[in-house]
């Protein structure tokens, strides 16, 4: 991995190269020194069989199992977008983030190239995240209305966010092979938090399908035939977990009015109410 010259972190001012080397002090870096690095799909399957959320998050944060995704995320971190040229880029996989015993689980697709791939936190630093965190705050599931950088003080309330694919993919489109290689990470995370979860919010059809696959893979009953995704759609996982569908807060959806603040608040507000 080639690391570019250090730049100051927007919150702490500490200097970091891009991509950020593991364990060098980036805010909320989940890396543990004893964590091995997955370099293949078989490694991911083996390392995902751990009993600790902390160890799982650490292993995710240094995964190198998908060569195309590794090259892309690190290339973006090195080249940078002009508007962020003065900032270091995380450029590594994104671990789940939030409450370790969540009653609400939010499932998305993958980190954005200049969002989570830059900040090191899921749904942080891009327009989609701006919409999502503002709504989470309005319905009482986040302590702040914005999430701009790791270390900014934002916290989720009884909520955890996970991505189906943990690296930023070109054009936001991971291949089926990449999705399947990464699947043991989300399956393991779901298994660890599922006993506490009352509501799953799936962002987009990709998140909807991933939620159903992951809960089924760890032993929960899911409806057959597969329920159709839609904004506001609902289904039951296991005996008492509610799955809610929500249009993804992408710029395409928010700019065109397909998803409005009221629509987003309605789904997340339902999740907050069901989780109490």
């Amino acid at each position: 991995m080639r690391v570019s010259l250090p730049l100051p972190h927007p919150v702490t001012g500490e200097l970091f190269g891009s991509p950020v080397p593991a364990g060098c002090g980036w805010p909320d870096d989940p890396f543990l020194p004893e964590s091995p690095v997955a370099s293949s799909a078989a490694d991911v399957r083996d390392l995902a069989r751990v009993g600790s959320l902390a160890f799982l998050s650490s292993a995710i944060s240094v995964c190198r199992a998908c060569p195309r995704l590794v090259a892309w995320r690190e290339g973006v971190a090195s080249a940078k977008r002009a508007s962020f040229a003065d900032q270091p880029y995380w450029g590594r996989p994104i671990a789940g983030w939030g409450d370790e015993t969540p009653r609400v689980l939010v499932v998305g697709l993958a980190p954005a190239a200049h969002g989570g791939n830059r900040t090191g936190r899921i749904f942080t630093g891009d327009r989609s995240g701006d919409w999502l965190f503002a709504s989470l705050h309005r319905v009482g599931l986040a302590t702040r209305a914005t999430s701009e950088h790791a270390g900014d003080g934002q916290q989720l309330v009884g909520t955890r966010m996970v991505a189906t694919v943990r690296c930023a993919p070109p054009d936001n489109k991971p291949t089926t092979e990449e999705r399947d290689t990464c699947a043991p990470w989300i399956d393991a995370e779901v298994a660890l938090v599922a006993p506490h979860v009352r509501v799953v919010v799936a962002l987009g059809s990709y998140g909807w399908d991933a939620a159903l696959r992951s809960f089924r893979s760890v032993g929960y009953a899911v409806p057959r035939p597969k329920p159709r995704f839609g904004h506001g759609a609902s289904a039951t996982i296991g005996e008492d977990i509610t799955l809610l569908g929500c249009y993804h807060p992408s710029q395409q959806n928010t700019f065109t009015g397909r998803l409005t603040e009221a629509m987003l608040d309605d789904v997340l507000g339902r999740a907050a109410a069901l989780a109490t």
Side-chain angles (χ1 to χ4, degrees), residues 10-11 17 58 80 130 168 178 187 191 236 242 251 274:
V11 174
S58 175
K80 300 181 174 62
D130 292 345
E178 289 162 350
D187 292 349
T236 300
T242 301
Q251 290 190 52
L274 289 167

Side-chain angles (χ1 to χ4, degrees), residues 3-7 15-21 24 26 77 80 88-90:
V3 179
S4 65
L5 292 175
L7 293 168
L15 296 176
F16 295 98
S18 304
V20 175
C24 65
W26 187 271
K80 300 181 174 62
Y89 269 57
W90 172 258

Side-chain angles (χ1 to χ4, degrees), residues 131 133-142 144-145 260-262 264-265:
W131 270 69
F133 275 97
S135 182
L136 288 167
H137 181 255
R138 288 192 294 267
V139 304
L141 297 179
R144 297 184 176 204
T260 65
E261 290 184 353
L264 186 55
D265 289 356

Side-chain angles (χ1 to χ4, degrees), residues 233-251:
S234 66
T236 300
I237 295 173
E239 295 183 358
D240 58 359
I241 299 175
T242 301
L243 172 64
L244 297 177
C246 181
Y247 288 151
H248 194 287
S250 64
Q251 290 190 52

Side-chain angles (χ1 to χ4, degrees), residues 186-197:
I186 187 172
D187 292 349
E189 192 155 359
V190 164
L192 288 168
V193 303
H196 312 283
V197 172

Side-chain angles (χ1 to χ4, degrees), residues 63-88:
C63 182
R64 302 183 68 82
C66 298
R68 187 183 79 116
L69 297 187
V70 171
W72 173 256
R73 79 190 191 212
E74 293 183 357
V76 169
S78 177
K80 300 181 174 62
R81 176 175 284 174
S83 53
F84 302 124
D86 61 343
Q87 298 181 17

